Amino acid sequence: MDLIVNIKIDHDSRKPKYKQIVDSIIDDISRGNLNVGQKIPSINEISEEFYLSRDTVEKAYNLLKERKIIESVKGKGFYVAKTDLINKVNILFLINKLSSYKMTIYNAFLNAIGTNAHLDLHIYHCDETLFLKLMERYKGHYDYYVIMSHFKNEQLQYVGYTDKVLNAIEEIPDNKLVLLDNKIDFLKEDIVQVYQDFEDDIIKALKEGLEKLKKYKKLILVYPDKSVYPYPREILHGFRKFCVTHSFDFEVLDDIYESMELRAGDTYITIKETDLVDLVKQVRESSLILGKEIGIVSYNDTPLKELLGITVIGTDFKKMGETTAQLILENRKDQIKNDFRFIDRKSM
């Protein structure tokens, strides 16, 4: 039997089978494969084709009817109802790594964009080759391409983009391109960009904490120079500028090593979560009092850092996702710098 609905059933998935049916039909409608008034297979047909119980298929169809996505006509069968799903916006969301911060952006965007959008999430792991393959595969398939542009070179050092990446991005029509997190300055102004200014942000955030920092003699930035997921070098530049401007003795380390030589009067600024954990452990094992004799500032906030009383500097990832969704919904082509915050807690 040839089904007109592209139903995908993964018997190994933990997602309930009825939910897989619902998602498949909604996806077909949103992509325009099913039209208003078009008849869809009966419960028995779906049941027999995919070896599912009739109750499972009936549960899926009842849920679709409750949401007014399909309607039943007595003696005739089930039909696609008039629904806003027909006008669903298809969005490709490309992020460089699967971190809690990136997922905060994605989930905030997903919640703010609402039910009239279909999102596909892909992770390219800061890899130019993988990114270019994804761009080629999905060229012309989406209404919007939401891209976080963060890459690494062969030495595992950070680059915001490469020539090939920029060429691929510039092939996307301006009205479909959305850049997140990292701004590309010389692209056209009539595109959506919601971004961090990594150099300026760290300068302004540390300036907010200047009075507390003054009680320390030396500032130490733990910046991983090489990493599978490298960090923008503008953070490093901004840190150095702040220290020179305000006459701080400073040092840059690429790691928190075992048996660090911890000294009273030092404040550490960590970026990686693992460096923060290792540093806190070593401080606790020392005789130094955190927040009085030695300070810690961490990059980007989490609930756990709040619970532990760790001072943080970082952008508002939730707001970044929400702002981006709002610009798409309102069809605005603004370029907006996202809020960056200094949050003072007891670790400094």
Side-chain angles (χ1 to χ4, degrees):
M1 177 181 63
D2 294 329
L3 295 179
I4 60 170
V5 181
N6 183 27
I7 291 178
K8 299 173 184 176
I9 299 296
D10 181 357
H11 291 277
D12 291 327
S13 174
R14 300 304 184 265
K15 183 188 286 188
K17 303 297 186 300
Y18 78 88
K19 185 66 167 61
Q20 294 186 47
I21 297 171
V22 168
D23 290 348
S24 293
I25 291 176
I26 288 176
D27 186 62
D28 257 14
I29 294 172
S30 66
R31 292 180 184 277
N33 298 332
L34 290 173
N35 300 313
V36 173
Q38 190 167 354
K39 188 176 182 180
I40 63 174
S42 69
I43 291 174
N44 287 336
E45 287 173 328
I46 298 294
S47 175
E48 292 170 6
E49 178 72 10
F50 296 98
Y51 304 100
L52 300 171
S53 72
R54 196 179 188 283
D55 289 343
T56 296
V57 184
E58 188 172 23
K59 184 174 182 179
Y61 275 38
N62 284 338
L63 185 58
L64 289 165
K65 285 197 294 182
E66 288 174 7
R67 295 173 60 181
K68 302 187 185 304
I69 294 169
I70 65 172
E71 58 187 3
S72 60
V73 179
K74 192 172 181 179
K76 292 187 177 182
F78 297 92
Y79 296 81
V80 178
K82 187 174 182 179
T83 167
D84 290 340
L85 285 172
I86 303 303
N87 298 319
K88 209 163 196 180
V89 175
N90 292 305
I91 301 172
L92 179 63
F93 211 98
L94 285 174
I95 64 176
N96 61 301
K97 63 180 178 179
L98 190 60
S99 70
S100 60
Y101 309 118
K102 305 295 181 177
M103 292 312 297
T104 296
I105 298 173
Y106 174 77
N107 289 325
F109 179 88
L110 180 63
N111 291 331
I113 203 72
T115 58
N116 286 332
H118 174 89
L119 268 68
D120 285 334
L121 173 65
H122 286 276
I123 302 146
Y124 63 88
H125 303 288
C126 298
D127 184 276
E128 177 197 65
T129 301
L130 180 54
F131 176 84
L132 294 174
K133 284 181 179 178
L134 289 168
M135 292 296 290
E136 183 62 30
R137 182 188 305 169
Y138 295 116
K139 185 186 296 184
H141 290 190
Y142 291 88
D143 300 300
Y144 289 97
Y145 295 79
V146 181
I147 298 171
M148 297 184 194
S149 181
H150 297 287
F151 294 87
K152 59 190 172 189
N153 60 22
E154 292 180 356
Q155 290 73 44
L156 297 182
Q157 294 176 318
Y158 179 87
V159 290
Y161 51 86
T162 66
D163 290 340
K164 290 181 179 178
V165 166
L166 190 60
N167 289 337
I169 289 175
E170 288 182 325
E171 287 183 10
I172 301 171
D174 295 346
N175 63 335
K176 294 186 175 185
L177 177 60
V178 178
L179 293 180
L180 268 189
D181 206 27
N182 184 37
K183 188 179 183 185
I184 300 181
D185 284 322
F186 50 86
L187 284 179
K188 296 178 182 178
E189 293 186 2
D190 54 347
I191 62 170
V192 175
Q193 294 202 63
V194 183
Y195 62 93
Q196 299 186 63
D197 184 333
F198 296 100
E199 182 173 316
D200 189 55
D201 283 341
I202 191 171
I203 292 172
K204 289 182 177 178
L206 292 178
K207 191 173 180 181
E208 284 185 53
L210 183 59
E211 291 307 310
K212 297 199 79 171
L213 286 170
K214 282 180 178 178
K215 73 179 184 180
Y216 296 97
K217 298 175 183 177
K218 187 172 185 176
L219 302 187
I220 302 164
L221 174 67
V222 187
Y223 176 85
D225 188 52
K226 297 180 180 180
S227 175
V228 175
Y229 298 113
Y231 299 88
R233 298 190 69 81
E234 289 83 0
I235 296 173
L236 178 60
H237 302 328
F239 169 76
R240 286 174 170 155
K241 282 185 179 180
F242 172 82
C243 292
V244 170
T245 300
H246 298 282
S247 302
F248 277 103
D249 184 18
F250 69 92
E251 185 176 359
V252 177
L253 302 177
D254 60 5
D255 199 2
I256 293 293
Y257 304 99
E258 271 188 59
S259 305
M260 291 278 293
E261 187 176 342
L262 301 177
R263 297 184 184 181
D266 289 349
T267 282
Y268 287 81
I269 301 169
T270 63
I271 299 175
K272 288 172 59 178
E273 303 295 278
T274 52
D275 285 336
L276 173 63
V277 171
D278 291 343
L279 180 59
V280 170
K281 283 181 180 178
Q282 292 192 43
V283 171
R284 287 179 174 179
E285 291 168 358
S286 74
S287 60
L288 299 172
I289 301 173
L290 182 62
K292 292 185 178 179
E293 297 172 299
I294 190 169
I296 295 178
V297 179
S298 181
Y299 212 88
N300 295 327
D301 199 15
T302 66
L304 185 58
K305 292 175 189 177
E306 181 179 7
L307 184 65
L308 295 175
I310 302 296
T311 298
V312 296
I313 56 175
T315 200
D316 187 338
F317 292 107
K318 183 172 182 287
K319 184 173 182 180
M320 183 180 289
E322 292 171 342
T323 300
T324 306
Q326 199 62 38
L327 290 174
I328 290 175
L329 290 170
E330 296 176 3
N331 196 29
R332 291 165 49 202
K333 304 300 178 185
D334 290 350
Q335 300 190 359
I336 298 175
K337 182 179 176 299
N338 202 56
D339 289 344
F340 198 89
R341 305 168 294 180
F342 169 82
I343 303 176
D344 185 18
R345 297 184 181 127
K346 63 183 181 181
S347 70
M348 195 180 82

